[in-house]
Amino acid sequence: MSQDYVLISMKLLGALGLLIYGMKMMSDALQKMAGPQLRHILGKMTTNRLTGMLMGAFVTCAVQSSSATTVMTVSFVSAGLLSLGQAISVIMGANIGTTLTAWIMSLGYNVDLTNVVFPAFFVGMVLIYKKRHRFVGDFLFGIAFMFLSLVMLSTAGKEMDLEHNEQVVSFFASFDTGSYWTILAFLAIGTLITCIVQSSAAVMAITILLCSTGVLPIYLGIALVMGENIGTTATANLAALGANTQARRAALAHLLFNVFGVIWVLCVFYPFVDMVCRLAGYDTTPGAGSVARLPVVLATFHTCFNVTNTALLIGFIPQMERIVCWLMPDKRQAEDEEFRLQYIQANLMQTPEIAILQAQKETGRFSRSVQEMFGMVRQLIDEKDDDKFASLYDQIGRREDFTDRMEIEIARYLEQVSDNHLSDVTKGKVRQMMREISELESIGDACYKLARTLSRRNETGRPLPVELRTKLGAMMALADEALTQMNTVMQGHSRDYDIRDTYRIENDINQMRQRLKTDNMRSVNEREYDYATGTLYADLINECEKLADYVVNVVQARMGVSSGFADR
């Protein structure tokens, strides 16, 4: 008999593994199919609390994973696409959307799903081999695995025949369902197990299995479900550990939301559970209710709990923001902290589409950083105080190191993205960004070369003549205008931008360079200043012109224009 239980237990564990894998496969496939749409929905359709909540519920119903939605939301907060208030409303909706999973599972215990499983496997296999519809095939495989696992769980539950096992029945009967300490103990067990397996769906499946056999009283089953609601927040909190403060606050808000829900339900636990049971058509009188209704009761409770909790808290989102900000205040950053990647968090990467979005935000920050670096170079021209000059030059040097690191880290991140199965559009974006970061790093190098040249001149104690500083300032003003237009494109306004404006500035810089070089040669020949000064001045002019070429290359990459104009 013990061998039978071992075999059935192995089947049970295998079915749970298949359930988790099937849901993950289905979730990933849906995110890849609708990645850009999900991005726009979560990014743009969260204008108020209600729409944010509805979008969170819709997306979670679509991807069948509240963890996927909350981690995605935390990613968007980390990337600066959602405010903390918007993220909280989406997370509330995700808690409602995840209740659909419980209803699907309760369906699996009451309906024979085998007629759906095998056709889904066949059609999915055909679509996977047709690469054009691979994600649809993956989605069907995920559904088939999930339904097959539910059939296996139901079968394993029947084979275990727990309702006739005196030891199991007496074990669960030994718990006093009327004691709050028992309810709290099972709530803690549900939380712990969900944190360990990182899947509330798997724990929900076990809970439904135990309740459907009649060995686990409904009050204890509901306590486990409440624990699952707290345990499922661990995924987002773990993912946010390496993220910025706003992302960690969003994950903390998810935890507080569910903890508050559990607290108020505990205050009215027995009346609330009895109300849910009546709503689901189950009689709580011992021996009166049909155990076949218990999966429906659990699904009903899960829905009522999350809907009521959202209704209670959706009007207090600003207060929740203040609480999480108080619990997790901004840390005072060291001077070098600003030179770390801000939007890219490798542990938050869920789908290539989201990863591309994060990389674009980081590349935009890279672009702003090199313009700030160029602004420091412009300050060096007129800086007469040696200590301030040295301090500014040192800052430029550290910025140049940062641009080198930033190029490498963004490129490494994009390489990780490229390991996934990407659409042609996403592949094109990866190539564009690879080119962008290379050219942005070249701009950083050009800025450092300009600063180094000015530093060499400053060390001689003979700064550039006023006339040359004025002319060089005019050249740099044009280069700064080109950088400003580049940043306009890099911040996501490329559709409203005419690339001919960049070409015009680049052409103006070329003409100015030629004119200044001619004037420089004449001035050196007429001994208005020495040859060394003329050579240094020519180096500065040429470096400014090269910087403008790199700017054109960045704009071309972002707008999808083939290179050639600036690479002469």
Side-chain angles (χ1 to χ4, degrees), residues 11-12 15-16 19 101-114 146-160 162 201-214 291-299:
K11 289 181 181 179
L12 187 64
L16 286 174
L19 173 67
T101 305
W103 285 105
I104 292 174
M105 288 183 181
S106 66
L107 178 70
Y109 280 86
N110 292 285
V111 178
D112 185 6
L113 298 173
T114 52
M146 184 177 73
F147 284 173
L148 180 61
S149 67
L150 293 176
V151 172
M152 292 170 63
L153 283 170
S154 179
T155 304
K158 293 174 183 176
E159 290 178 355
M160 292 179 79
L162 293 178
V203 184
M204 175 65 82
I206 289 292
T207 305
I208 292 177
L209 173 64
L210 290 174
C211 285
S212 65
T213 58
V291 294
R293 296 294 300 171
L294 289 180
V296 177
V297 173
L298 291 173

Side-chain angles (χ1 to χ4, degrees), residues 406-469:
M406 204 166 191
E407 179 195 17
I408 292 171
E409 291 187 36
I410 295 176
R412 185 181 295 127
Y413 186 73
L414 290 172
E415 286 172 354
Q416 292 176 7
V417 177
S418 300
D419 291 338
N420 294 277
H421 182 78
L422 305 178
S423 65
D424 291 337
V425 174
T426 305
K427 287 178 183 176
K429 289 180 180 178
V430 170
R431 287 193 297 269
Q432 286 177 9
M433 273 189 284
M434 284 290 196
R435 184 181 167 203
E436 287 167 17
I437 60 175
S438 174
E439 299 295 341
L440 287 170
E441 194 276 333
S442 296
I443 294 175
D445 286 344
C447 290
Y448 184 62
K449 288 177 183 176
L450 287 167
R452 192 170 55 190
T453 304
L454 289 169
S455 179
R456 287 203 313 268
R457 181 65 181 183
N458 193 63
E459 289 170 359
T460 65
R462 298 170 59 194
L464 286 173
V466 175
E467 181 185 355
L468 296 187
R469 291 205 306 269

Side-chain angles (χ1 to χ4, degrees), residues 74 78 238-248 342 344-345 347-348:
V74 169
S78 176
L238 288 173
L241 284 178
N244 57 30
T245 303
Q246 282 293 86
R248 293 198 300 274
Q342 189 177 91
I344 286 178
Q345 310 291 342
N347 58 328
L348 290 180

Side-chain angles (χ1 to χ4, degrees), residues 51-107:
T51 58
M53 182 269 292
L54 292 174
M55 287 308 105
F58 169 76
V59 172
T60 306
C61 287
V63 302
Q64 275 301 289
S65 173
S66 61
S67 295
T69 304
T70 51
V71 171
M72 194 187 307
T73 303
V74 169
S75 300
F76 286 170
V77 173
S78 176
L81 296 172
L82 289 179
S83 68
L84 181 57
Q86 290 173 321
I88 293 173
S89 67
V90 172
I91 288 169
M92 288 180 175
N95 277 267
I96 295 175
T98 193
T99 61
L100 179 63
T101 305
W103 285 105
I104 292 174
M105 288 183 181
S106 66
L107 178 70

Side-chain angles (χ1 to χ4, degrees), residues 59-276:
V59 172
T60 306
C61 287
V63 302
Q64 275 301 289
S65 173
S66 61
S67 295
T69 304
T70 51
V71 171
M72 194 187 307
T73 303
V74 169
S75 300
F76 286 170
V77 173
S78 176
L81 296 172
L82 289 179
S83 68
L84 181 57
Q86 290 173 321
I88 293 173
S89 67
V90 172
I91 288 169
M92 288 180 175
N95 277 267
I96 295 175
T98 193
T99 61
L100 179 63
T101 305
W103 285 105
I104 292 174
M105 288 183 181
S106 66
L107 178 70
Y109 280 86
N110 292 285
V111 178
D112 185 6
L113 298 173
T114 52
N115 294 330
V116 179
V117 170
F118 298 109
F121 272 129
F122 177 76
V123 175
M125 181 187 66
V126 173
L127 292 176
I128 287 174
Y129 276 97
K130 289 186 176 182
K131 294 184 178 180
R132 185 178 177 183
H133 302 292
R134 176 181 175 179
F135 295 144
V136 179
D138 287 342
F139 171 68
L140 288 175
F141 255 66
I143 285 182
F145 279 133
M146 184 177 73
F147 284 173
L148 180 61
S149 67
L150 293 176
V151 172
M152 292 170 63
L153 283 170
S154 179
T155 304
K158 293 174 183 176
E159 290 178 355
M160 292 179 79
D161 195 26
L162 293 178
E163 62 268 32
H164 295 112
N165 187 312
E166 293 183 4
Q167 291 179 333
V168 174
V169 172
S170 60
F171 172 75
F172 284 108
S174 65
F175 293 101
D176 182 8
T177 58
S179 168
Y180 265 99
W181 290 110
T182 303
I183 300 302
L184 289 172
F186 273 79
L187 188 151
I189 291 170
T191 302
L192 181 63
I193 295 175
T194 307
C195 287
I196 293 172
V197 302
Q198 288 288 292
S199 174
S200 60
V203 184
M204 175 65 82
I206 289 292
T207 305
I208 292 177
L209 173 64
L210 290 174
C211 285
S212 65
T213 58
V215 298
L216 182 67
I218 187 60
Y219 293 108
L220 302 186
I222 285 177
L224 288 176
V225 172
M226 290 164 62
E228 292 156 18
N229 275 271
I230 296 177
T232 192
T233 65
T235 305
N237 278 278
L238 288 173
L241 284 178
N244 57 30
T245 303
Q246 282 293 86
R248 293 198 300 274
R249 285 171 177 170
L252 178 61
H254 187 205
L255 173 62
L256 293 180
F257 173 76
N258 282 358
V259 168
F260 175 82
V262 168
I263 290 173
W264 73 255
V265 167
L266 285 174
C267 293
V268 291
F269 182 75
Y270 293 102
F272 188 78
V273 172
D274 291 342
M275 182 271 293
V276 169

